[in-house]
Amino acid sequence: MSSQELPTKFEELSEEELSKMTIRRATGEKRLVRCTPGGILLPYAFVKLARGFHDFQFRSGDVVVSTFPKSGTVWMGEILWAMTHFDRLAAMDTSAINGRSYFFDLDFLHPSSSSDYSPLIAAFQEKCPGGQVDEGIMLQLANADEGRRVIKTHLQFSFFNDSLLSKSKVVYVARNPKDACVSLHYFLSQKLDTVVEGGFPATAETFMKNGMTFAPYWGHLQQAWKLKDHPNVHFVFYEDLKADVMAELGKLNGFLGLDLKEDQLEKVAEATSFENMRKRDLEKPLTKMEGSFFRKGVVGDWKNLATPELDAQMDRWIAENSKDMGIQFRYS
Ligand code: A3P
């Protein structure tokens, strides 16, 4: 373990601040911290694991999916696993997603006592005998894996050491903030232990006021956008994946230096189509919620929920925050 000082400081939100929030969070996220620099909002449980994440050594061959929540993390995780483990494609039908790729944030988003965790704990105890659950299951499982790892996280790059960008290949997926907000609204509303008071307008307001876990949305986007030409960073839009998945798989193929053939990429596209991922989720659900995690998977669902006033407000918020970035989203 390194003794280097962590680059982040944490301040816990007061009861008063929490009581003003319109989202009563799931058990694992009841206490929150704000991180400096960046003002990033994270569950309190992260603090204990911050050192472990910071010291985690990425290796060459690792592929990391980095996203703001609800931007296509699981989809990209499956695409990258399928591409980097093409000879084992059939295993996607038999094994669970969390057994293939490592979603780091599970370690602090969900209390390890939750029943969602039990199959993972069993795998953890088998693969990491003597390991402590509260030191992060995903972290330790990933550490113990000597193969080619696919890691998913919403944590900004600054929470990791330099090996993230110098050793691994990072794929950043951005989704337009309107649809990410809608997806987040449904996700929060349908998770069994979260209450969203005030319906969709309250979710949208919380989103724009940086009250969502992992917010601020723009800070998240900016750190990756600035590095979009870095040789180990590939920036992709959810909307582009939806519009022409084969074109995007072709770019990923080049970025990862994989040399998969057209018919192999077609098989990856098929195995990771929305319909197929949803179908597999019926048998091995990714998370406990009403309805499927794979909800709609479309671009433009925002227009089904937002009033013209809310839409105009969101447009102003987007224009203000993106004016110096030169980033253009598609909304339909
Ligand atoms: P919706 O709620 O709009 O349907 P994340 O994995 O970052 O949490 O993102 C979840 C969103 O990605 C959900 O959006 C989900 O349906 C969508 N998604 C997951 N798999 C997908 C796929 N194969 N194709 C398109 N969208 C997908």
Side-chain angles (χ1 to χ4, degrees), residues 70-75 175 183 238 272 274 293 295-297:
K70 311 317 290 175
S71 301
T73 324
V74 176
W75 186 14
R175 188 178 193 184
S183 182
Y238 177 96
T272 58
F274 182 78
F293 176 92
R295 190 184 63 89
K296 271 195 178 176

Side-chain angles (χ1 to χ4, degrees), residues 25-27 29 109-110 184-195 287-290:
R25 286 177 155 80
T27 36
E29 295 178 56
L109 283 175
H110 298 283
L184 197 46
H185 174 70
Y186 282 111
F187 183 67
L188 291 173
S189 317
Q190 288 168 357
K191 263 168 59 173
L192 302 181
D193 43 9
T194 309
V195 178
T287 181
K288 242 195 207 167
M289 57 194 283
E290 283 171 48

Side-chain angles (χ1 to χ4, degrees), residues 20-23 25 41 68 181 184 188 196-197 199-213 215-217 310 313 317:
K20 286 186 195 143
M21 290 191 162
T22 50
I23 294 170
R25 286 177 155 80
L41 211 56
F68 190 79
C181 179
L184 197 46
L188 291 173
V196 181
E197 288 164 7
F200 182 66
T203 303
E205 191 189 323
T206 307
F207 195 95
M208 287 187 271
K209 285 190 173 159
N210 301 329
M212 292 298 179
T213 314
Y217 172 86
L310 190 54
Q313 194 187 343
W317 179 75

Side-chain angles (χ1 to χ4, degrees), residues 228-298:
K228 68 181 175 0
D229 299 321
H230 187 290
N232 285 339
V233 177
H234 181 71
F235 198 100
V236 47
F237 288 97
Y238 177 96
E239 294 76 19
D240 288 346
L241 276 166
K242 282 293 299 180
D244 189 347
V245 74
M246 284 302 287
E248 296 305 320
L249 293 188
K251 291 182 205 165
L252 285 167
N253 202 19
F255 173 63
L256 299 172
L258 286 171
D259 207 22
L260 291 171
K261 305 286 170 274
E262 188 80 0
D263 62 317
Q264 294 176 310
L265 293 180
E266 270 163 14
K267 289 200 174 100
V268 170
E270 172 69 14
T272 58
S273 72
F274 182 78
E275 294 69 28
N276 281 332
M277 287 179 62
R278 197 170 208 266
K279 211 176 347 161
R280 286 198 294 271
D281 193 57
L282 289 175
E283 281 153 37
K284 291 191 172 43
L286 185 63
T287 181
K288 242 195 207 167
M289 57 194 283
E290 283 171 48
S292 175
F293 176 92
F294 302 91
R295 190 184 63 89
K296 271 195 178 176
V298 297

